[in-house]
Amino acid sequence: FKKYYTDSDNCTPIFIAPNTNKYSTIARNIAKLFEFEIPLFSEYRMLKDHKLELLIRLVSFPIDSQIRLPYIVVVYDVMHRYYPDFPEYSLKVRILRDLFYKRAAKHSVFTIVDSYQSKEDLVRFYKIEEEKIKIIPYCPPWYVYKYKDLEESYIREVMNKHGIFERFIFYPAQFWHHKNHLRLIKALHLLRKEYKTVIPVVLTGSPRSDSKGTYSQVMQLMDEVNMRDQILNLGYLPEKDIVALYKKAVTLVFPSLIGPTNIPPLEAMVLGAPVVCSNIFSMPEQVGEAGLLFDPFNVEDMAEKIYRIWTDNNLRQNLIRKGHERVKNMTIKNYAKQWENISGLLRGFLFRY
C-alpha cells in the first residue's frame, strides 16, 4: 500500500478497522452465509469524521443514505441477469446483487460502467437515470506496462521453469463456469481428432478459486479425452510471469461467456499477442478488427478459429499490428484522465448533498 499510494502529497491513507461490537459480528456472519463480504454502514459513518467531500467506491454495495456522504460507485456487470442458471449465480447471489447494485447506483452521484451495454443494462434492469451513468472502459493493470519490454532471458527462464518447450495458446482465467474451460477442451479435442492437429494450451487458473466444482469437471474431462499431456495448468502466478506467457504465446484464446467487456484481450494487445475471443456482449466492439471472433457456445466454430490463428502466421501478424494500433492510447495516464473528467462534472451534482 505504501509503495503505490503514499508517495504523493495528494494522497492520505485512512485505515478503518472493522467494527467488532456484537451486532456487527452477527451481521457479518449472516453476510457470510450469503457468500458476501459486506462493509457495514457503521464503518462508513466513521468516514464522516474525516470530512470527506466524495467517496469513490470500487465495490457495488449500498451505503447508508442517512450518512449523506456523496459517492461514485463502480458496477462491473449484471451477468447474473443473463445467466441465472450458472452455478456462480445462485438464487441468494442473484437476490443480493439486485438489491445491492440497484440501491448503490440509485443513490450514487455517478455510477461507472465499462461499456454502453453496461449502461443500457442498468437502465433496463434497475431503472437508473441515464445521465448518472458514465462509461470508463477497462484499462490493463499496471504490471502489463511495467513489464511490457520484458527481457528475452527472463521469458526463457519462465518457460524453462514450467517445462514449456513448444508453441502454445494461452488462457489466463479462474475456474468458474462462465470461463468456459469445458468447451475449450472440447474444441482442442476436436482439433486433434478431426484436424489431426495437437495444440498445447497453458492455463493459469487457481483450483482454489473454484467453489462450484468446475475445476473438478475440467480435470475429469481432460482424463476422459486423454489430454492431460496437452493441457498445462500453472495455477496462480506472479504478474511478471503472466506477462512472459503472453509474450511467448501463439495467441490468447478467450472463450468467456460473460462481459460486457474483459481485460485479458486488452492485456494481449498491449503485449503483442494475437486475440481470438468470444463474439458476445460488447466483446466485438472492444477488440474491433484486432480480434478473431467465435461463438463461445459453438465448439466447432471455436475449434475452426483456433486452427486458423494457429496455422496462419500472416493472420497473427495482422492481428498483432491492429492490436497495437487499437491500444496505443490506452495508458494508465489516459485512464486517470477519464476519472478526472468525471470529477470535473461533479460540481453540478454535489450541491444535492
Side-chain angles (χ1 to χ4, degrees):
F1 182 90
K2 292 181 179 179
K3 179 178 179 181
Y4 295 107
Y5 297 102
T6 59
D7 291 339
S8 171
D9 293 335
N10 296 324
C11 184
T12 302
I14 299 173
F15 298 96
I16 300 177
N19 196 320
T20 56
N21 67 50
K22 65 178 181 179
Y23 300 108
S24 298
T25 301
I26 292 172
R28 288 195 186 281
N29 289 334
I30 293 174
K32 287 179 180 179
L33 291 176
F34 286 89
E35 301 177 1
F36 270 84
E37 291 291 338
I38 302 179
L40 298 179
F41 296 149
S42 58
E43 296 173 8
Y44 284 121
R45 292 192 181 99
M46 299 177 190
L47 294 174
K48 297 293 285 185
D49 297 334
H50 296 279
K51 296 180 170 48
L52 297 181
E53 295 180 353
L54 177 72
L55 178 66
I56 297 178
R57 307 178 54 247
L58 301 181
V59 291
S60 307
F61 294 115
I63 188 171
D64 188 354
S65 59
Q66 298 302 314
I67 298 176
R68 306 287 294 174
L69 178 61
Y71 64 88
I72 295 174
V73 67
V74 178
V75 175
Y76 297 96
D77 66 75
V78 293
M79 290 293 113
H80 63 287
R81 285 284 188 145
Y82 290 91
Y83 300 115
D85 56 332
F86 278 15
E88 51 265 57
Y89 302 136
S90 64
L91 177 60
K92 59 186 176 183
V93 168
R94 298 198 307 273
I95 291 173
L96 288 177
R97 278 195 173 202
D98 282 341
L99 175 66
F100 291 160
Y101 292 3
K102 181 177 181 178
R103 182 176 173 84
K106 179 180 178 180
H107 295 288
S108 69
V109 179
F110 290 130
T111 297
I112 306 300
V113 295
D114 68 321
S115 63
Y116 285 103
Q117 180 174 346
S118 288
K119 180 174 183 176
E120 293 172 354
D121 284 345
L122 292 188
V123 174
R124 173 188 174 192
F125 294 121
Y126 303 138
K127 311 304 180 187
I128 306 302
E129 302 169 39
E130 285 192 45
E131 62 269 21
K132 290 181 61 173
I133 307 170
K134 305 300 178 184
I135 299 170
I136 299 182
Y138 288 142
C139 178
W142 61 270
Y143 63 82
V144 169
Y145 298 98
K146 179 176 181 179
Y147 302 125
K148 180 181 177 181
D149 300 316
L150 199 59
E151 304 88 349
E152 184 62 33
S153 60
Y154 186 83
I155 296 175
R156 288 196 302 270
E157 180 182 325
V158 172
M159 299 303 113
N160 291 335
K161 178 171 62 176
H162 297 294
I164 303 173
F165 305 113
E166 56 186 344
R167 301 169 77 221
F168 66 93
I169 62 176
F170 183 40
Y171 184 32
Q174 299 286 29
F175 286 96
W176 297 319
H177 180 77
H178 68 259
K179 293 302 184 181
N180 210 18
H181 287 87
L182 295 175
R183 288 189 182 88
L184 174 59
I185 293 174
K186 291 176 181 178
L188 295 173
H189 180 250
L190 179 65
L191 286 168
R192 190 174 70 178
K193 183 179 179 181
E194 302 294 336
Y195 290 68
K196 309 303 180 184
T197 302
V198 176
I199 300 180
V201 59
V202 173
L203 309 174
T204 56
S206 171
R208 285 183 289 182
S209 69
D210 171 37
S211 62
K212 306 298 181 182
T214 303
Y215 177 78
S216 298
Q217 294 173 23
V218 170
M219 296 299 110
Q220 180 179 346
L221 179 59
M222 287 168 53
D223 288 335
E224 289 175 359
V225 295
N226 193 28
M227 291 179 62
R228 283 272 185 171
D229 60 340
Q230 189 178 335
I231 301 171
L232 177 63
N233 179 39
L234 301 180
Y236 183 82
L237 292 179
E239 290 94 349
K240 194 173 182 180
D241 289 13
I242 293 290
V243 171
L245 290 168
Y246 269 118
K247 295 181 76 67
K248 197 65 176 178
V250 170
T251 187
L252 167 74
V253 176
F254 196 77
S256 178
L257 299 173
I258 74 165
T261 64
N262 290 278
I263 292 177
L266 301 178
E267 295 175 327
M269 287 188 278
V270 170
L271 295 171
V275 175
V276 55
C277 69
S278 302
N279 65 358
I280 55 178
F281 297 112
S282 296
M283 293 296 290
E285 291 83 358
Q286 184 181 33
V287 301
E289 295 184 353
L292 189 62
L293 302 174
F294 58 77
D295 179 352
F297 293 97
N298 188 319
V299 170
E300 291 77 13
D301 187 33
M302 190 188 307
E304 190 270 331
K305 296 303 175 10
I306 293 173
Y307 181 78
R308 281 185 58 191
I309 206 165
W310 180 260
T311 59
D312 190 338
N313 182 61
N314 289 334
L315 173 61
R316 293 196 301 274
Q317 295 305 315
N318 188 42
L319 292 177
I320 290 171
R321 178 180 57 79
K322 290 181 177 180
H324 281 147
E325 183 66 22
R326 193 162 187 82
V327 298
K328 66 180 181 181
N329 295 320
M330 189 175 290
T331 64
I332 298 295
K333 183 177 180 180
N334 287 339
Y335 181 71
K337 285 182 179 179
Q338 295 181 79
W339 280 91
E340 290 176 3
N341 293 337
I342 296 296
S343 66
L345 299 173
L346 288 173
R347 295 184 183 90
F349 288 82
L350 290 181
F351 76 92
R352 299 178 184 178
Y353 296 84

